[in-house]
Amino acid sequence: DCTPASARSLVMQGKAPNGTASCPEAEKRACYETPYQVYRTCLGPRKDPPSGGKSYESLGAYLSGRGPLSAHIKLDIHGAEWPVLEQLLGSPEDLDKIRALDV
């Protein structure tokens, strides 16, 4: 996530459990029992040099080196999802690495 609004996210602030403990019922909406990694780089259809304090990387670059069904992806890139999804559909190798896709 590369937007300023991410500062309000418990996950982005590192305050949500990250594979370190079971989730109490009250914290289910911001708790992950499986470890995850947060990326602070913007997602785009290709790698671009930093612009306006943000750098861009392709989804394929993030999936590089991952095994089958090993990635849980959440895309919230304010309308820029379409070129990223189009690129993803053109890569059966990358599709095979995604277990869950939330758009």
Side-chain angles (χ1 to χ4, degrees), residues 19-92:
T20 58
S22 292
C23 299
E25 192 60 38
E27 294 181 18
K28 285 282 189 194
R29 63 185 177 93
C31 182
Y32 299 88
E33 293 179 355
T34 301
Y36 61 88
Q37 185 172 358
V38 174
Y39 293 95
R40 300 291 304 186
T41 302
C42 299
L43 187 63
R46 65 187 176 282
K47 181 177 178 124
D48 285 331
S51 172
K54 298 177 181 180
S55 59
Y56 292 82
E57 189 65 74
S58 71
L59 181 57
Y62 283 114
L63 294 172
S64 178
R66 295 196 177 271
L69 301 175
S70 63
H72 298 264
I73 307 290
K74 180 183 184 300
L75 296 178
D76 184 9
I77 48 181
H78 310 283
E81 293 89 351
W82 300 113
V84 172
L85 290 171
E86 183 175 28
Q87 185 180 49
L88 177 61
L89 290 173
S91 175

